[in-house]
Amino acid sequence: MRTCSGQFRHCGENQRNDRLQWFELKISVCVLLKKQSHLHLGCPGEIMAAHQSTEWRTVCEKFRLAQELSEIESRKDPENNPFRSKYKARDLLKEIHCSLVKIHIEEEEEGEDDNEADGGSMQIAEGEPGNECGKTCTGDSPAGLRAARLAVLQYYLGVNHIETEELSAGEQHLMNCMKLIDKCTTTRENVSLFIQARNQLGILWAGRDEIEKAQGFLEIAESMYLLYMKEDGQPPLDLQDYFVSEGEELSQQEKIRRFEMAYTHTLYYLAQVYKNLEQYERSGQYCHSTLQRQLEYKQFVPLEWAINAATLSQYYITKTRYMEARHCLAAASVIATLAGEIPSEAAAKESDAECEKREELLQKRAEIARCWIKYCLNLMQDAKKLLEDNIGELDLDRQEELKRARQNEEEEKEKGRKSAILFGSSDTFDSICSLEEKISSMLPLDFEEARSIFLVGQSYVAQAKEYFAMDGHVTDHIEILQDHSALFKVLAFFEQDLERRCKMHKRRVDLLEPICKDLNAQYYLLICRQLQFELAESYYEMMDLKLAVADKQDQPDVHTIKKFNNLCSSSMKYYQMFLDSIRSPEGKFPEKLEDEVLRPALVAKFRVARLQSKLISNNLATQLENLNHSLESYSFIVQYCEENPEAKKAVETELELSNEMVSLLPLKINRIRSNMASCN
């Protein structure tokens, strides 16, 4: 035993001396290289140079296969075994982990001798730039790279478990990944892993409705990216760089693309987080940045990007930021065309793939068209709010004032804001700008400006209806018709000619009345109520306009009176249909109205009362009957508000007028009765 022991000790001393000489030479070469080319000591290519053996090539091949199984083969898995490829990939990743542990033990033994030779040069030196609080090694040191390699495996194991719906195990692997890399300073060797691990944890916690926890992970990822780009900015290593054989490394361009894609994901997830936290302004900003970056780095699916941009436009509309909304919609329309031409009906019948493509393209483009309709409608409605007086008519003085103020202000404002929000690349920018030029983003101040916006909106109505037809898309089709009606309504506000205004409201009736008659209230009660109220309102507007025209005449003729009475009757009919829809199955009107129908129901009662008092008749008995019905309706409003005081706020103006009419109508009724008595 002594002999053997002595031989081994002697052998070990000789080997140790040889190894020391080799390490001294290696350190000299590395120091020289570092001085000459500023290479990071111990980058993956160097650190694995000693392992370009069959064993290491096997590790790299297993990693490649695991990626292929997860990303490609998993799409072909059968429904009864949907995670088959994911499980195979997991087994390969575990095998790689065992191989790495063995390799790392050898590296650590070599590293100990290496550190002895250079006096521990791999540790963080006091006061050096990489010295972060609590870090035990630099990210580009052999120890840091060993930790990163293991962390990459933990990351992929974590993602694998999450994708197979094993969330707790996935979280554990991701936290193991974090623990490994948190020991090291952030460098270009591990910054991408830092960000992607936090992205995944952010998604995980958001899925559990732990939004603030998700926010913490994602905001750190964002800060890491910004700090890295400020202090270094060089293309960092990608996660796959740790498991490639020599000569198979990713190009610098591909490294940049993948790193930027990881940060784009960070911004996208933060946008969702801020939305859930009801920080809508920040959410909108992050959505916009995400869309910009997706275009810049060509990381987008055209239809998906277009729908997201169109959706973002609706947020800008709520903030009355119409220039941004228009830009989003123009970009959405242009990018959607990159998905290709819509297959013909004949082609769709011959191929399931073509049929599916046709359906998707038609649907998405129709959805974008609906967003354009909302843009046009809201732009006109906001202008109306700005221009109307206290009785809802166009304020001409206000109109002139706004026109004078707008001349130069809006142009300068647009130039300043536009530079910060532009979408598009060199091949789409001109198309986006060209589409924007077809419609204004400024509030219309007169009929011609309003009409130009109306016509654009109307063209998108036709486009949207092509897909959202009544047959198969009842609710969507009716909503589009309601928007079309609303476009006519707001356009009528800008029109000064009373007869033309009346015709615009008649167009609303023509759009909605056929649908209202055919729709089954049993299945579409809410929609029926909406249509009944809007039709009643349209006829009411026409009645008021005809009354204004009649007031300008000395004596209205029989035709005018008949037309006027028909409008009153039609309006009352639809208001009464609306009120009847609120009744119980037994036909009883509710003693207390629900909040969602409180104001509409009382307004309907008020307008029925007014309409009944406006009916023209030479017959005193008919006049008396109409006024009694009118008084009854006014009295209902007064009595309801007395019994339900909380309702007063909902109909303050209508209640005030109803109280007046309850006092005045009995006098008028008595006069008619007196006239009738004297005639008899």
Side-chain angles (χ1 to χ4, degrees), residues 210-248:
E210 295 274 358
I211 305 301
E212 291 182 356
K213 206 162 189 175
Q215 179 186 7
F217 283 114
L218 293 168
E219 285 182 345
I220 290 173
E222 179 188 26
S223 299
M224 281 182 166
Y225 171 87
L226 296 173
L227 184 62
Y228 177 78
M229 294 304 289
K230 180 182 177 182
E231 295 187 351
D232 191 319
Q234 295 301 310
L237 291 183
D238 184 69
L239 276 58
Q240 292 186 23
D241 281 331
Y242 283 94
F243 295 98
V244 291
S245 300
E246 189 175 5
E248 296 179 5

Side-chain angles (χ1 to χ4, degrees), residues 323 326 409-419 436 440-442:
M323 188 192 67
R326 181 186 64 176
E409 181 181 328
E410 286 296 333
E411 286 81 352
E412 292 302 316
K413 192 176 177 183
E414 182 165 338
K415 287 177 186 175
R417 287 163 62 192
K418 200 165 187 177
S419 60
E436 283 184 287
S440 174
S441 65
M442 294 185 285

Side-chain angles (χ1 to χ4, degrees), residues 20 23-24 27-28 30-31 41 111-123 142:
L20 280 172
F23 279 125
E24 285 171 2
I27 290 165
S28 299
C30 286
V31 169
L41 188 62
E112 287 174 9
D113 293 332
D114 204 355
N115 277 338
E116 286 176 23
D118 69 355
S121 64
M122 296 304 165
Q123 300 300 317

Side-chain angles (χ1 to χ4, degrees), residues 617-626 671-672 675-677 679:
S617 175
N618 292 327
N619 187 293
L620 291 177
T622 304
Q623 289 180 27
L624 185 62
E625 183 184 0
N626 290 338
R671 280 200 302 272
I672 293 174
N675 290 339
M676 288 174 68
C679 289

Side-chain angles (χ1 to χ4, degrees), residues 42 65 185 295 305 330 370 478 518 526 598 621:
L65 285 173
T185 59
L295 280 185
W305 190 97
R370 291 185 71 179
I478 292 172
D518 294 340
L526 180 59
L598 174 61

